[in-house]
């Protein structure tokens, strides 16, 4: 391939978004939400945010965030610890990641579940892929 | 490397990280793009509590060179 994108550039793409240093949050939405790629900010989706014990509006911040450059496979990864709402009673169908440090809470990623799931005084955990949340290749 | 397999009438995206059921496949730029939803499991505790684990597949952005410029997303 004579032309392409350097791996450093892939990593820097996410660095310029400052995924590593900004407060990146994940919030849960109910089944009334449907993914629309043209949505831009949290205000576009917040109407369908879940509520319940063990869950605070706006969701929770990701912890132990990391960016990795993989020269062997020509990829870059964004990863964090699994988000978990402990001792919660909530029903959710979507998880939305957004940048809480930007003025309008810009949206990053949307994950739809195969059905609605309900926790009852238990944990609601997002088990992230072992490679992370986002891959740029 | 991932591939699409069929089992009992359902399509799955088979990856080194596990199998994810494919909801549908769309065509984009001549390629089959599988639409995958995150599968979950509910754990019922003896004391009546219920916990949930959602297995979230990694989301991917692909860059490419050539006709669309030096690098496009």
């Amino acid at each position: 391939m004579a032309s392409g994108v350097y791996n450093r550039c892939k990593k820097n793409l996410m660095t310029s978004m400052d995924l590593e240093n900004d407060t990146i949050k994940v919030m849960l939405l109910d089944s009334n939400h449907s993914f629309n790629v043209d949505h831009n900010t949290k205000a576009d989706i917040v109407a369908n945010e879940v509520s319940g014990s063990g869950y605070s509006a706006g969701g929770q911040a990701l912890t132990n965030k990391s960016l990795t450059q993989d020269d062997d496979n020509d990829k870059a990864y964004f990863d964090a610890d699994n988000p978990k709402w402990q001792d919660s009673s909530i029903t959710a169908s979507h998880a939305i990641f957004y940048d809480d440090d930007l003025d309008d809470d810009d949206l990053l990623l949307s994950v739809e579940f195969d059905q609605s799931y309900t926790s009852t005084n238990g944990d609601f955990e997002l088990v992230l892929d072992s490679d992370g949340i986002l891959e740029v290749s | 490397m991932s591939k699409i397999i069929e089992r009992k009438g359902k399509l799955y995206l088979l990856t080194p990280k596990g199998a994810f059921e494919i909801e549908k496949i769309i065509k984009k730029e001549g390629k089959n793009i599988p639409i995958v939803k995150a599968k979950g499991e509910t754990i019922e505790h003896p004391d009546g509590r219920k916990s949930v684990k959602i297995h979230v597949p990694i989301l991917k952005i692909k860059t490419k060179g050539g006709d669309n410029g030096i690098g496009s997303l």
Side-chain angles (χ1 to χ4, degrees):
Chain A
M1 183 169 65
S3 57
V5 179
Y6 291 105
N7 294 335
R8 177 56 54 91
C9 177
K10 296 169 188 172
K11 181 191 175 203
N12 286 344
L13 175 70
M14 292 194 275
T15 303
S16 64
M17 292 163 66
D18 221 356
L19 293 174
E20 206 163 25
N21 295 307
D22 279 5
T23 299
I24 307 301
K25 286 190 171 182
V26 57
M27 61 193 294
L28 299 176
L29 303 184
D30 63 26
S31 59
N32 292 315
H33 173 76
S34 60
F35 174 65
N36 181 340
V37 73
D38 293 327
H39 283 160
N40 294 316
T41 67
K42 191 174 79 172
D44 293 329
I45 61 164
V46 73
N48 295 316
E49 186 174 15
V50 304
S51 61
S53 65
Y55 183 89
S56 299
Q60 65 174 253
L62 298 182
T63 57
N64 289 323
K65 302 188 301 298
S66 64
L67 295 176
T68 306
Q69 179 178 325
D70 179 356
D71 284 329
D72 290 335
N73 296 300
D74 301 330
K75 296 174 180 175
Y77 300 99
F78 173 54
D79 197 5
D81 286 351
N82 292 344
K84 183 192 292 184
W85 289 266
Q86 293 180 308
D87 301 325
S88 63
S89 295
I90 44 183
T91 299
S93 299
H94 303 259
I96 310 294
F97 297 80
Y98 67 96
D99 191 328
D100 190 53
D101 280 0
L102 298 179
D103 288 344
D104 294 324
D105 297 338
D106 287 18
L107 302 176
L108 297 170
L109 308 163
S110 174
V111 176
E112 182 175 5
F113 310 156
D114 65 331
Q115 63 179 63
S116 288
Y117 287 93
T118 300
S119 63
T120 306
N121 299 317
D123 297 339
F124 198 109
E125 181 178 11
L126 302 180
V127 181
L128 305 177
D129 187 281
S130 58
D131 281 338
I133 304 165
L134 177 65
E135 170 192 299
V136 178
S137 62
Chain B
M1 186 67 84
S2 60
K3 64 177 182 179
I4 295 172
I5 62 171
E6 182 179 355
R7 288 286 186 277
K8 297 181 179 177
K10 292 185 176 181
L11 292 174
Y12 295 88
L13 183 65
L14 192 62
T15 78
K17 310 303 177 188
F20 300 94
E21 186 176 344
I22 296 171
E23 295 296 318
K24 62 180 178 180
I25 296 177
I26 60 173
K27 283 270 188 185
K28 188 172 183 181
E29 296 174 354
K31 294 181 179 178
N32 292 324
I33 308 293
I35 303 300
V36 177
K37 293 183 180 179
K39 292 190 76 71
E41 55 181 314
T42 302
I43 301 117
E44 298 193 15
H45 303 284
D47 58 4
R49 295 182 301 116
K50 290 183 181 178
S51 293
V52 171
K53 286 179 183 280
I54 307 290
H55 299 277
V56 180
I58 194 167
L59 299 177
K60 300 180 179 182
I61 297 174
K62 290 187 181 292
T63 60
K64 62 182 179 181
D67 294 343
N68 293 312
I70 295 172
S72 65
L73 294 175

